[in-house]
Amino acid sequence: MSELSPMLNNESAAPAAVAATPAKPAARTGSGVMLGMMALLIALASAALVGWFFYVWQPQLVALQQQQQTLQNQQQSQTALFQSKQEELQQEMQQQLVNVVADWNNKQLEQLQSTQQEIARLQTQLDQQSGNVKGWQLLEVEYFLRLAEQKLFLEQNVSGVVQVLELAEQRLKQMQDASLVAVREAIGQDKHMLSELNTPDMHQLHLTLSALRQQSLTLPLRQSERAMDNQTEEEITEDAADWQSNLGLYWRNFWRGLVQVRASLPEDGVSLTAEQQISVRNTLTQQLLLAELAAMQHNQAVYAAAIQQSADSLQRYFAATEPAVQQMADDLVALSALQVSLPLLAPLKSPQLFEAYRQGMAVTELSL
């Protein structure tokens, strides 16, 4: 019995040990549940925090988007308004130029008709005096003197008036008539008076301003971008013992390429967008067009102001180092010195004296 009791004790203890062993998974399952609950609580807290932030910042984000949309709409409306105003101004100036050119053409047509009538009258007198060489020559001189008066007061073409007076003087020299010396002296006085007038060639001025307007569309603009100066970099040796100096060179070259210090320049403040570039070119074109209109209307104040504004725009927005810009600047300086206002034109003396001579001849012929 004593020998069997240990064995029975061992057999009874074995089931107890077997029954106690499954208690460990139960503890593990409880800790896993706790971890899952904690993870779920953290996820719910995160979701609640995100939702709270979204709830708080959502009105501000919506308001910011609305402000951005409002600013974009205002910018678009201002751009459209500026473009419409600019187009209206350009159309108005072009219409003024068309009106001035039409008036000029009407004056030219009236002068042509008057000249044709004068030629017809002189032709009639020439037919009546066929065979009378002196009478024919006098009719030629009369025609030239009348033509000089028309060119002076209708066209303000001083150079053309001088040329016509020289033709009349040549005819009087060919006649070799001493009674016409007073008329020749009056022609000389008229030529001297015209030489003292400072009147520009309006046709050449029109061509010059038109060429400048076309050239302004292709002039190079001044921008902030500038090419960096190429600096010589120190060479890096291949010797492994110089790794410290090579590392220092790499570091200095990196900062030298990243940051470059130089003195400020005038063009650093100019950075034009594509729309601004078009606006600058259109402004310069309109200023030159205004100067052309003022010159054709002989308005010295408006002409001088338009040329000055054109020079200011050219100096401020265009690349002054370019040859084309420098040439336009020189042309504007030359144009600013011109006087487009009409001088005080005195009537020519030679036509009056010649008319008095013809009347005296008519009285003499009637008395004979």
Side-chain angles (χ1 to χ4, degrees):
M1 294 294 291
S2 60
E3 294 178 354
L4 294 173
S5 58
M7 294 177 62
L8 293 174
N9 293 331
N10 292 333
E11 290 177 357
S12 61
V18 172
T21 302
K24 293 182 179 179
R28 293 179 182 177
T29 304
S31 62
V33 171
M34 291 298 293
L35 291 175
M37 292 294 292
M38 291 178 64
L40 180 60
L41 290 175
I42 292 173
L44 290 175
S46 300
L49 183 62
V50 171
W52 181 79
F53 275 109
F54 182 78
Y55 175 77
V56 172
W57 289 99
Q58 178 65 19
Q60 297 182 4
L61 292 175
V62 173
L64 181 60
Q65 291 177 355
Q66 292 177 355
Q67 291 179 359
Q68 291 180 351
Q69 185 65 30
T70 303
L71 290 175
Q72 290 179 357
N73 295 334
Q74 291 178 356
Q75 184 178 6
Q76 291 177 358
S77 62
Q78 290 178 358
T79 303
L81 179 62
F82 175 75
Q83 291 178 353
S84 62
K85 293 292 184 182
Q86 190 173 9
E87 290 177 357
E88 291 177 0
L89 179 60
Q90 187 171 4
Q91 291 177 358
E92 183 179 356
M93 295 181 68
Q94 289 179 353
Q95 184 63 35
Q96 291 180 2
L97 179 60
V98 170
N99 295 335
V100 171
V101 172
D103 294 340
W104 182 273
N105 292 333
N106 293 333
K107 289 182 179 179
Q108 294 290 331
L109 182 60
E110 292 176 358
Q111 180 187 359
L112 179 60
Q113 294 176 353
S114 176
T115 303
Q116 291 176 351
Q117 293 175 0
E118 186 68 19
I119 291 175
R121 187 181 67 82
L122 293 175
Q123 185 65 37
T124 303
Q125 294 181 3
L126 182 62
D127 294 339
Q128 294 176 355
Q129 298 182 2
S130 59
N132 186 359
V133 178
K134 182 178 179 180
W136 180 78
Q137 291 177 340
L138 290 175
L139 289 176
E140 247 187 337
V141 173
E142 182 181 2
Y143 167 73
F144 287 135
L145 293 178
R146 289 182 180 272
L147 182 60
E149 284 185 324
Q150 292 177 0
K151 284 186 172 293
L152 180 62
F153 291 105
L154 294 180
E155 299 180 11
Q156 288 84 35
N157 188 357
V158 176
S159 59
V161 175
V162 173
Q163 293 177 358
V164 174
L165 289 177
E166 288 177 352
L167 292 175
E169 189 176 12
Q170 290 178 3
R171 297 298 186 273
L172 292 175
K173 288 181 180 179
Q174 294 174 359
M175 293 178 63
Q176 297 181 354
D177 190 348
S179 60
L180 294 173
V181 173
V183 179
R184 293 178 59 183
E185 292 178 353
I187 291 177
Q189 294 176 2
D190 292 337
K191 289 168 60 179
H192 179 70
M193 182 266 296
L194 294 174
S195 63
E196 294 180 350
L197 295 177
N198 185 18
T199 56
D201 189 353
M202 300 304 297
H203 297 287
Q204 183 62 36
L205 180 60
H206 171 71
L207 294 176
T208 302
L209 289 174
S210 298
L212 291 180
R213 284 194 289 112
Q214 295 296 327
Q215 187 180 358
S216 64
L217 301 177
T218 58
L219 286 178
L221 290 165
R222 172 187 294 177
Q223 292 290 351
S224 296
E225 290 78 12
R226 293 177 56 88
M228 293 296 183
D229 298 333
N230 294 326
Q231 298 180 356
T232 58
E233 298 183 356
E234 300 179 10
E235 296 182 357
I236 298 175
T237 62
E238 298 180 356
D239 191 0
D242 298 334
W243 66 271
Q244 292 181 348
S245 60
N246 292 338
L247 180 60
L249 289 177
Y250 273 120
W251 183 255
R252 288 193 296 272
N253 291 336
F254 168 75
W255 283 106
R256 185 182 303 165
L258 182 63
V259 178
Q260 185 176 10
V261 180
R262 60 173 175 81
S264 62
L265 298 171
E267 57 266 28
D268 290 337
V270 179
S271 181
L272 302 177
T273 62
E275 294 79 5
Q276 291 173 341
Q277 292 178 15
I278 296 174
S279 176
V280 166
R281 295 185 186 278
N282 289 337
T283 301
L284 180 58
T285 302
Q286 291 174 3
Q287 289 168 352
L288 293 173
L289 181 60
L290 180 60
E292 186 176 353
L293 287 171
M296 298 184 69
Q297 295 177 353
H298 305 287
N299 191 334
Q300 182 65 33
V302 177
Y303 171 79
I307 293 296
Q308 182 62 40
Q309 291 175 1
S310 301
D312 293 341
S313 299
L314 187 70
Q315 182 180 5
R316 182 176 182 181
Y317 296 109
F318 292 85
T321 57
E322 296 293 333
V325 178
Q326 294 177 357
Q327 181 62 39
M328 179 176 283
D330 295 339
D331 293 340
L332 291 176
V333 171
L335 291 174
S336 63
L338 295 179
Q339 294 291 330
V340 298
S341 59
L342 291 176
L344 296 176
L345 299 176
L348 300 176
K349 297 179 180 179
S350 53
Q352 298 176 1
L353 288 177
F354 186 78
E355 185 65 24
Y357 172 78
R358 292 298 303 272
Q359 292 178 358
M361 285 186 59
V363 172
T364 302
E365 291 176 357
L366 291 175
S367 62
L368 295 177

